[in-house]
Amino acid sequence: MTLSLPRTGRLAVFATALLYTGLSFGVATSTTPLSAAEGPYYVATLAQATDENRAVAGGVAWACEGTTCVANKGPSRPSRICRGLAREMGEITAFKVEGEEIAEDKLARCNGK
């Protein structure tokens, strides 16, 4: 009695195992479902509407529509990220981090005032 599989059977098992491992690793390391469920980490309101839908500023990728820009958490402090966005997109009238507005003095520093 032989317990080995034919060559095509072994390839199918190998391919299935490889696919399962790749999907498991992708799900384990992905932060998209968590971020999407909680909403954006940063929300910025610009003084003037922008024509750009996407921008990279302050080390994060921003999605913008009208005067509102949103982004996921970045590697820097919120004040640095705010300054980077202000340099790229212009004056920011409001900046939220995890749903909390930053203080007026920090917003003034963000805008370089």
Side-chain angles (χ1 to χ4, degrees), residues 1-92:
M1 182 156 138
T2 305
L3 296 176
S4 66
L5 295 171
R7 184 172 200 179
T8 56
R10 285 183 287 185
L11 287 174
V13 168
F14 177 75
T16 303
L18 188 61
L19 179 66
Y20 178 79
T21 301
L23 288 173
S24 298
F25 183 76
V27 168
T29 59
S30 174
T31 60
T32 302
L34 180 61
S35 297
E38 294 178 357
Y41 192 81
Y42 304 113
V43 178
T45 304
L46 305 174
Q48 294 184 355
T50 181
D51 293 333
E52 295 181 45
N53 292 337
R54 303 227 179 257
V56 176
V60 295
W62 293 88
C64 300
E65 187 174 314
T67 59
T68 303
C69 294
V70 296
N72 286 329
K73 187 174 182 180
S76 299
R77 293 185 320 266
S79 58
R80 290 183 138 259
I81 290 174
C82 183
R83 274 195 308 266
L85 183 64
R87 281 188 210 118
E88 184 73 25
M89 304 298 265
E91 185 179 355
I92 298 172

